[in-house]
Protein backbone atom coordinates (compact mmCIF):
# COMPACT_ATOMS: atom_id res chain seq x y z
CA UNK A 1 0.00 0.00 0.00
CA UNK A 2 2.85 2.38 0.78
CA UNK A 3 4.33 1.88 -2.68
CA UNK A 4 0.98 2.20 -4.45
CA UNK A 5 0.65 5.77 -3.25
CA UNK A 6 -3.14 5.69 -2.79
CA UNK A 7 -3.46 7.56 0.51
CA UNK A 8 -7.24 7.22 0.73
CA UNK A 9 -7.10 3.41 0.55
CA UNK A 10 -4.26 3.40 3.07
CA UNK A 11 -6.23 5.76 5.32
CA UNK A 12 -9.24 3.43 5.22
CA UNK A 13 -7.07 0.45 6.18
CA UNK A 14 -5.35 2.39 8.98
CA UNK A 15 -8.72 3.51 10.32
CA UNK A 16 -10.09 -0.04 10.39
CA UNK A 17 -6.96 -1.48 11.99
CA UNK A 18 -6.85 1.26 14.63
CA UNK A 19 -10.53 0.76 15.50
CA UNK A 20 -9.98 -2.99 15.76
CA UNK A 21 -7.03 -2.49 18.12
CA UNK A 22 -9.06 -0.13 20.28
CA UNK A 23 -11.99 -2.52 20.40
CA UNK A 24 -9.63 -5.27 21.53
CA UNK A 25 -8.15 -2.96 24.19
CA UNK A 26 -4.95 -2.50 22.22
CA UNK A 27 -4.81 1.29 22.44
CA UNK A 28 -1.00 1.32 22.49
CA UNK A 29 -0.98 -0.43 19.11
CA UNK A 30 -3.70 1.88 17.77
CA UNK A 31 -1.84 5.12 18.52
CA UNK A 32 0.77 5.00 15.72
CA UNK A 33 -1.92 3.93 13.25
CA UNK A 34 -4.19 6.80 14.29
CA UNK A 35 -1.36 9.32 14.14
CA UNK A 36 -0.44 8.16 10.65
CA UNK A 37 -4.12 8.31 9.64
CA UNK A 38 -4.38 11.81 11.04
CA UNK A 39 -1.36 12.95 9.03
CA UNK A 40 -2.89 11.58 5.82
CA UNK A 41 -6.28 13.17 6.51
CA UNK A 42 -4.81 16.57 7.44
CA UNK A 43 -2.68 16.63 4.28
CA UNK A 44 -5.61 15.71 2.04
CA UNK A 45 -6.41 18.25 -0.70
CA UNK A 46 -9.89 18.65 0.82
CA UNK A 47 -9.59 17.77 4.53
CA UNK A 48 -12.76 16.41 6.14
CA UNK A 49 -12.81 18.39 9.39
CA UNK A 50 -15.53 16.27 10.98
CA UNK A 51 -13.49 13.13 10.28
CA UNK A 52 -10.33 14.78 11.61
CA UNK A 53 -12.14 15.65 14.86
CA UNK A 54 -13.07 11.99 15.30
CA UNK A 55 -9.46 10.95 14.79
CA UNK A 56 -8.21 13.58 17.28
CA UNK A 57 -10.70 12.24 19.83
CA UNK A 58 -9.69 8.63 19.17
CA UNK A 59 -5.99 9.41 19.58
CA UNK A 60 -6.73 11.38 22.75
CA UNK A 61 -8.77 8.51 24.15
CA UNK A 62 -6.07 5.96 23.30
CA UNK A 63 -3.40 8.05 25.03
CA UNK A 64 -5.70 8.53 28.05
CA UNK A 65 -6.25 4.78 28.38
CA UNK A 66 -2.47 4.28 28.19
CA UNK A 67 -2.00 6.79 31.02
CA UNK A 68 -0.24 9.33 28.80
CA UNK A 69 -2.29 12.28 29.96
CA UNK A 70 -0.21 15.11 28.50
CA UNK A 71 -0.41 13.61 25.01
CA UNK A 72 -4.11 12.96 25.51
CA UNK A 73 -4.72 16.57 26.53
CA UNK A 74 -2.84 17.81 23.46
CA UNK A 75 -5.12 15.87 21.12
CA UNK A 76 -8.31 16.80 22.99
CA UNK A 77 -7.31 20.45 22.67
CA UNK A 78 -6.72 20.03 18.94
CA UNK A 79 -10.14 18.37 18.64
CA UNK A 80 -11.59 21.30 20.58
CA UNK A 81 -10.02 23.89 18.28
CA UNK A 82 -11.23 22.19 15.10
CA UNK A 83 -14.70 21.58 16.57
CA UNK A 84 -15.03 25.23 17.54
CA UNK A 85 -13.95 26.25 14.05
CA UNK A 86 -16.38 23.84 12.38
CA UNK A 87 -19.39 24.03 14.71
CA UNK A 88 -18.95 27.21 16.75
CA UNK A 89 -17.91 27.75 20.37
CA UNK A 90 -21.36 27.02 21.84
CA UNK A 91 -22.05 23.70 20.07
CA UNK A 92 -22.81 20.63 22.25
CA UNK A 93 -19.84 18.82 20.67
CA UNK A 94 -17.60 21.51 22.19
CA UNK A 95 -19.25 20.85 25.56
CA UNK A 96 -18.52 17.13 25.20
CA UNK A 97 -14.84 17.81 24.61
CA UNK A 98 -14.78 20.10 27.66
CA UNK A 99 -16.22 17.18 29.66
CA UNK A 100 -13.46 14.87 28.43
CA UNK A 101 -10.83 17.48 29.32
CA UNK A 102 -12.39 17.81 32.79
CA UNK A 103 -12.15 14.03 33.34
CA UNK A 104 -8.58 14.06 32.13
CA UNK A 105 -7.67 16.90 34.49
CA UNK A 106 -9.36 15.03 37.36
CA UNK A 107 -7.05 12.07 36.72
CA UNK A 108 -4.08 14.44 36.89
CA UNK A 109 -5.42 16.06 40.07
CA UNK A 110 -5.72 19.44 38.32
CA UNK A 111 -8.98 20.16 40.09
CA UNK A 112 -9.17 23.89 39.37
CA UNK A 113 -8.74 23.33 35.65
CA UNK A 114 -11.15 20.37 35.70
CA UNK A 115 -13.80 22.51 37.38
CA UNK A 116 -13.29 25.26 34.80
CA UNK A 117 -13.84 22.77 31.97
CA UNK A 118 -16.92 21.34 33.71
CA UNK A 119 -18.38 24.83 34.11
CA UNK A 120 -17.77 25.59 30.44
CA UNK A 121 -19.44 22.34 29.40
CA UNK A 122 -22.36 22.95 31.74
CA UNK A 123 -22.90 26.46 30.38
CA UNK A 124 -23.04 25.14 26.82
CA UNK A 125 -25.46 22.33 27.69
CA UNK A 126 -27.63 24.66 29.75
CA UNK A 127 -27.88 27.09 26.83
CA UNK A 128 -28.79 24.28 24.44
CA UNK A 129 -31.52 23.05 26.79
CA UNK A 130 -32.93 26.55 27.17
CA UNK A 131 -33.01 26.98 23.40
CA UNK A 132 -34.79 23.64 23.00
CA UNK A 133 -37.30 24.53 25.70
CA UNK A 134 -37.91 27.93 24.07
CA UNK A 135 -38.42 26.27 20.70
CA UNK A 136 -40.79 23.71 22.23
CA UNK A 137 -42.71 26.49 23.98
CA UNK A 138 -43.14 28.35 20.70
CA UNK A 139 -44.31 25.17 19.00
CA UNK A 140 -46.74 24.38 21.82
CA UNK A 141 -48.04 27.95 21.76
CA UNK A 142 -48.81 27.67 18.06
CA UNK A 143 -50.63 24.39 18.57
CA UNK A 144 -52.93 25.81 21.24
CA UNK A 145 -53.95 28.87 19.20
Amino acid sequence: MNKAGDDMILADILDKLARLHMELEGEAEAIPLLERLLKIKKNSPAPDLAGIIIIFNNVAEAYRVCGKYEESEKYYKQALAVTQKLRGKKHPAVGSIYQELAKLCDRQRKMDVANKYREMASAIFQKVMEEQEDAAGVTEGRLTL
Side-chain angles (χ1 to χ4, degrees), residues 1-16:
M1 292 309 315
N2 288 334
K3 292 179 182 178
D6 190 339
D7 282 346
M8 290 305 110
I9 293 173
L10 179 58
D12 190 45
I13 292 168
L14 289 169
D15 183 50
K16 288 178 179 157

Side-chain angles (χ1 to χ4, degrees), residues 91-142:
H91 192 275
V94 171
S96 295
I97 297 170
Y98 282 141
Q99 285 182 321
E100 292 303 319
L101 283 163
K103 288 186 231 175
L104 189 62
C105 288
D106 281 337
R107 289 179 182 264
Q108 298 175 76
R109 308 224 187 274
K110 297 179 184 176
M111 299 311 185
D112 290 341
V113 179
N115 288 333
K116 180 183 102 179
Y117 285 133
R118 259 191 291 286
E119 288 171 9
M120 294 166 79
S122 180
I124 290 171
F125 295 136
Q126 182 66 37
K127 181 75 173 161
V128 169
M129 286 185 61
E130 288 170 2
E131 289 171 357
Q132 289 175 346
E133 288 172 0
D134 288 345
V138 169
T139 303
E140 289 172 15
R142 287 186 188 146

Side-chain angles (χ1 to χ4, degrees), residues 29-97:
E29 293 83 6
I31 290 170
L33 301 172
L34 289 166
E35 288 179 332
R36 188 168 174 196
L37 173 62
L38 185 59
K39 184 177 180 182
I40 291 169
K41 293 289 189 170
K42 286 171 67 175
N43 292 328
S44 166
D48 169 24
L49 294 181
I52 289 171
I53 292 166
I54 292 168
I55 300 167
F56 277 136
N57 280 314
N58 288 341
V59 178
E61 175 68 10
Y63 272 122
R64 185 196 59 78
V65 169
C66 292
K68 297 182 177 183
Y69 301 134
E70 288 181 21
E71 292 89 344
S72 179
E73 185 174 357
K74 177 182 94 171
Y75 282 100
Y76 276 129
K77 285 182 176 179
Q78 289 176 347
L80 178 65
V82 177
T83 303
Q84 288 174 329
K85 178 180 178 183
L86 183 64
R87 307 272 187 232
K89 293 186 177 194
K90 302 297 181 187
H91 192 275
V94 171
S96 295
I97 297 170

